[in-house]
Amino acid sequence: MSLSSTDMHRATDAATLEADFQTRIDNEEKIEPKDWMPEAYRKNLIRQISQHAHSEVIGMQPEGNWITRAPSLHRKAVLLAKVQDEAGHGLYLYSAAETLGITREELIHNLHTGAAKYASIFNYPSLTWADMGAIGWLVDGAAIVNQVSLQRTSYGPYARGMVRICKEESFHQRQGYHILMTLMEGSDEQKAMAQDAVNRFWWPSLMMFGPHDSDSEHSGQSMTWKIKRQSNDELRQKFVDQSIEQAEAIGLTLPDPDLRWNEERGHYDFGEIDWEEFYQVISGSGPCNRDRLAHHRRAHEEGAWVREAIEAYEAKKKASV
């Protein structure tokens, strides 16, 4: 069936808009909320930004578990501040996602129904105080490696939000490393606790960068649109390279017998990730998936009266004008 002249004009107009859009991307121009963008670009951004926002908020749970059990008042205050930072990061990111035409209610609904994902790392339990060190050093360290390049992502609100987030995450990584460094200067039991935490969080931290580039559904298009600036495997390699020297500096051993320097590549070789475990966790069958979502749903429901009070106050204020 042949296209009508109207349909042909629409197709031509759409092709021109997409070509102009890609030219702006290639010229390193930022895309802003009111600019024209392909629907697939908008959906890709909503998926990535919402996943990032959900990760920040769900990630408060394993750390919040240790606020009341921190070993000193100083450690308690620092951890509390960190958890508050993560809540702020979630707020920045939800706000950035909302500029794309999706509501906060829709974002939370997608999280609760499983339509939206969050970082698989937060489905692992925090068993000891040393886990606060491993999460800060490895998990936040992996996040920084990924997020530094996102400061140059093509969507303006996302890029600007990442500038502040990266500054705060760098403190979180140092806090975690300091916890592990302190434990490694302590008793044999404390050293063993630090090593155990690193053993448990190393491989899940590598999984944070997602599947291999060849297996990633969104990576190629995200790179073309400069939503992402570096591929999953490039970022993972960068993280491995920097982590080995940091571990050696305080006497920790990374749990990978295949780690070795490759002179030809100029990088460290490392073992293969357990991808079966990765896909099991992101599909909802990790150690803490159900607990994490149940806790979030409960907190969301218990906070309903606050949202209702705010809406009533705003409505009353508008009525009085």
Side-chain angles (χ1 to χ4, degrees):
M1 185 175 68
S2 60
L3 293 173
S4 68
S5 59
T6 301
D7 289 336
M8 291 179 64
H9 281 304
R10 286 174 180 168
T12 301
D13 289 344
T16 300
L17 285 169
E18 291 211 19
D20 290 344
F21 176 83
Q22 189 60 51
T23 297
R24 291 189 62 193
I25 297 289
D26 296 339
N27 290 338
E28 300 293 339
E29 294 182 39
K30 286 285 183 280
I31 306 302
E32 299 297 340
K34 293 184 179 180
D35 294 342
W36 184 90
M37 64 186 72
E39 182 62 15
Y41 176 84
R42 188 184 74 85
K43 289 182 177 178
N44 198 328
L45 275 171
I46 289 174
R47 177 195 60 79
Q48 180 168 325
I49 298 174
S50 67
Q51 179 174 310
H52 192 167
H54 299 327
S55 299
E56 296 283 357
V57 173
I58 296 293
M60 296 164 64
Q61 292 186 40
E63 294 177 310
N65 183 45
W66 280 91
I67 290 175
T68 59
R69 295 183 285 165
S72 69
L73 180 59
H74 172 73
R75 292 292 190 189
K76 188 188 301 288
V78 173
L79 182 58
L80 180 60
K82 180 187 178 184
V83 173
Q84 288 175 320
D85 282 349
E86 307 296 3
H89 298 173
L91 175 62
Y92 308 152
L93 292 163
Y94 282 133
S95 297
E98 286 174 310
T99 66
L100 292 159
I102 190 168
T103 66
R104 188 76 57 92
E105 290 73 19
E106 289 174 298
L107 292 168
I108 300 302
H109 174 76
N110 290 342
L111 171 64
H112 288 171
T113 59
K117 305 297 184 184
Y118 56 89
S120 59
I121 189 74
F122 299 119
N123 289 311
Y124 291 85
S126 52
L127 304 178
T128 70
W129 171 249
D131 287 14
M132 297 302 95
I135 290 173
W137 174 46
L138 294 176
V139 177
D140 292 326
I144 291 169
V145 168
N146 184 45
Q147 293 170 10
V148 163
S149 64
L150 289 177
Q151 294 175 106
R152 298 184 295 112
T153 192
S154 60
Y155 188 58
Y158 193 20
R160 290 188 288 273
M162 291 313 306
V163 173
R164 179 165 181 174
I165 290 173
C166 284
K167 288 179 179 178
E168 294 177 350
E169 291 288 6
S170 67
F171 281 101
H172 300 170
Q173 184 196 28
R174 294 174 198 177
Q175 174 224 6
Y177 191 69
H178 188 263
I179 290 173
L180 291 175
M181 181 176 67
T182 302
L183 290 171
M184 293 302 291
E185 293 172 346
S187 65
D188 290 343
E189 289 81 2
Q190 289 172 317
K191 292 176 183 177
M193 184 168 64
Q195 184 63 61
D196 173 68
V198 170
N199 290 347
R200 287 183 288 106
F201 276 94
W202 172 249
W203 290 106
S205 295
L206 295 190
M207 296 177 193
M208 286 179 66
F209 297 98
H212 286 308
D213 299 329
S214 57
D215 300 324
S216 177
E217 179 183 355
H218 304 285
S219 190
Q221 186 60 70
S222 292
M223 294 281 285
T224 299
W225 281 329
K226 298 187 179 179
I227 295 173
K228 289 180 63 172
R229 292 290 185 151
Q230 291 178 280
S231 72
N232 295 350
D233 289 329
E234 288 174 330
L235 293 166
R236 187 165 20 243
Q237 182 68 68
K238 184 176 181 180
F239 174 68
V240 170
D241 289 347
Q242 74 177 32
S243 298
I244 291 173
E245 294 182 2
Q246 293 171 353
E248 290 175 348
I250 58 176
L252 286 165
T253 302
L254 297 178
D256 182 357
D258 295 326
L259 278 175
R260 57 181 55 85
W261 178 252
N262 186 319
E263 191 68 40
E264 184 177 346
R265 293 199 311 119
H267 295 286
Y268 282 93
D269 292 335
F270 56 97
E272 186 65 13
I273 291 168
D274 184 345
W275 293 112
E276 183 178 345
E277 177 183 331
F278 170 76
Y279 286 112
Q280 182 179 9
V281 174
I282 64 172
S283 68
S285 298
C288 298
N289 288 67
R290 293 172 182 81
D291 291 341
R292 298 288 187 244
L293 279 179
H295 181 92
H296 192 280
R297 289 192 192 97
R298 185 167 61 252
H300 186 71
E301 292 167 2
E302 290 175 354
W305 70 272
V306 178
R307 297 189 296 276
E308 292 168 1
I310 292 172
E311 290 174 0
Y313 173 76
E314 291 297 326
K316 183 177 181 180
K317 189 166 66 173
K318 287 180 181 178
S320 64
V321 174

